[in-house]
Amino acid sequence: MTLDELRRELLNRQYEDNIRIAPHMVVCFAERFLAKQFRDCDNWKKEIEKCPSYDRLILFYETVKNS
């Protein structure tokens, strides 16, 4: 999934508080979380699939898609 596809799917939506995206990760403020992860991805200079923020966005996407 590309970064633009993730943006289309995740931005401008309402999310619940405390979304558990992994056993050790809970997103408390989804809007702030998404803004930070997308900003980090935009600044990443290597392959996007190697970006930790991209991985977190994928986890978030899969979690909200399946709930």
Side-chain angles (χ1 to χ4, degrees):
M1 179 168 249
T2 68
L3 207 50
D4 287 333
E5 290 172 328
L6 282 170
R7 276 192 175 91
R8 280 193 300 273
E9 292 293 325
L10 296 175
L11 295 180
N12 300 316
R13 300 209 168 136
Q14 297 291 324
Y15 297 102
E16 299 175 5
D17 292 334
N18 302 319
I19 300 169
R20 182 169 299 278
I21 62 173
H24 61 286
M25 284 191 254
V26 176
V27 175
C28 296
F29 301 102
E31 287 181 22
R32 289 185 199 172
F33 169 81
L34 292 172
K36 168 80 168 98
Q37 303 314 308
F38 280 117
R39 186 171 54 247
D40 289 351
C41 287
D42 289 339
N43 292 326
W44 187 257
K45 303 298 181 203
K46 301 175 188 172
E47 297 171 26
I48 196 65
E49 292 81 13
K50 295 181 179 178
C51 178
S53 292
Y54 177 80
D55 291 338
R56 287 188 287 272
L57 285 170
I58 294 295
L59 283 172
F60 186 87
Y61 170 74
E62 290 172 351
T63 301
V64 297
K65 180 182 84 170
N66 294 326
S67 61

